[in-house]
Amino acid sequence: MEQLLIEVDTPQDKALLLALLPRLNARVVNQESIDKKKEDFLEMAETIAAKGGIGDSFGDLSDWQREIRSWDQVLDSREE
């Protein structure tokens, strides 16, 4: 599936385009809903940034990787 953003100059062109969509197995994606999702995402990102970002909230990545790999050893019946 692909999405296109199309601009038309006149209401007649818009009506013609909308009439052709069913023949092309296409549909209209409500632009307002897309704008709302973008606004929600930006608001959430700004909230995270205002609190100092994610920073070290994940801890040491090397420790995490060692822990995950230790699970693999147990799952493969290769405990050391």
Side-chain angles (χ1 to χ4, degrees):
M1 177 190 333
E2 292 188 42
Q3 292 184 358
L4 304 172
L5 178 61
I6 299 173
E7 292 182 1
V8 293
D9 292 329
T10 66
Q12 294 82 10
D13 291 342
K14 180 181 175 183
L16 178 60
L17 181 61
L18 291 175
L20 289 173
L21 289 179
R23 293 199 59 195
L24 301 170
N25 294 324
R27 61 191 157 97
V28 174
V29 177
N30 188 351
Q31 185 64 35
E32 292 175 1
S33 66
I34 292 171
D35 290 340
K36 177 69 173 140
K37 288 178 186 178
K38 286 180 184 177
E39 288 173 14
D40 291 345
F41 174 78
L42 290 174
E43 183 179 320
M44 185 177 9
E46 288 172 354
T47 302
I48 292 170
K51 292 180 180 179
I54 57 172
D56 293 327
S57 63
F58 294 108
D60 184 12
L61 296 179
S62 297
D63 290 339
W64 174 83
Q65 186 177 29
R66 275 190 285 281
E67 180 183 350
I68 297 301
R69 287 186 176 175
S70 71
W71 296 352
D72 291 342
Q73 292 170 353
V74 172
L75 293 174
D76 292 338
S77 300
R78 297 180 299 175
E79 288 188 50
E80 294 181 34

